[in-house]
Amino acid sequence: MRRLRKKSKVILILSMMLFLFLFIKQVLQTPFSVKLSTPLNKMNSFAIVEKYSTQIHSELKKYGLEDQTLTLIAVMQQESRGKGGDPMQASESAGLAPNTITDPNESIEYGVKHFQRIMKYGNEKAVDFSTIIQSYNMGIGYIDYVANSGGKHTEELAKQFSALQVEKNPELYDCGGNEENFRYPYCYGDFSYSDKVEKILDTLTKSTPAIAIEEKPDEAL
């Protein structure tokens, strides 16, 4: 009887050991996965505009404004995320209908030219840099408006200027008839444009690694 009990006990122990062995083997063969809070291959949100950085830099250099390269990259990011044939959304500043420009090279050329014009005029009128950025979206007239209202951009001034333009052409500037649009009833331009661009610019400035800008050597005379 004792032998039978001892034998049963041995069988039980062996069975448990076999079960434990099989369990460990199964665990080791099962792929180990952990849900990451941040994907390892996080998409670079500036990936598309990055490819235009050297061209933007070169175009700005024609006007001695190459130090504003990151500013124009931020503008492009806000305008289009670098997508489409007119990534700088420069058609209207060139006196054309929206999205007339279909060549990114031409878009950058006119976008930089527009920025150079408002930068020069803004400095002449002694307005702050936020006003200049806002004027890329609202036009050079916004510089005059701010210059006559203290010289510093505020969202309230942008709304006031927008309201004046809407009053002149309410059928055109109606936010597509969508009263749920965050801009409504200030449907001329985007009163929050400067703030958005400056936030992007701050992110670009702090980003690591920074967007690489390939400096092309000047051609020998």
Side-chain angles (χ1 to χ4, degrees), residues 87-108:
M88 294 298 296
Q89 292 294 289
S91 295
E92 291 177 89
S93 64
L96 305 171
N99 298 310
T100 299
I101 295 174
T102 57
D103 179 2
N105 297 320
E106 188 178 357
S107 177
I108 291 171

Side-chain angles (χ1 to χ4, degrees), residues 152-171:
K152 291 186 177 181
H153 161 78
T154 65
E155 189 173 288
E156 184 57 36
L157 284 177
K159 286 180 176 179
Q160 292 174 14
F161 183 74
S162 178
L164 290 172
Q165 307 311 309
V166 171
E167 188 177 347
K168 293 176 184 177
N169 200 338
E171 293 183 359

Side-chain angles (χ1 to χ4, degrees), residues 4 27 29 40 48 53-54 73 95 119 141 151 161 174 189 192-193 198 212 218:
L4 184 61
V27 169
Q29 289 178 343
L40 290 175
I48 301 178
S53 60
T54 299
I73 291 174
M119 184 82 168
F161 183 74
D174 66 348
S192 61
Y193 185 84
E198 288 176 359
D218 296 329

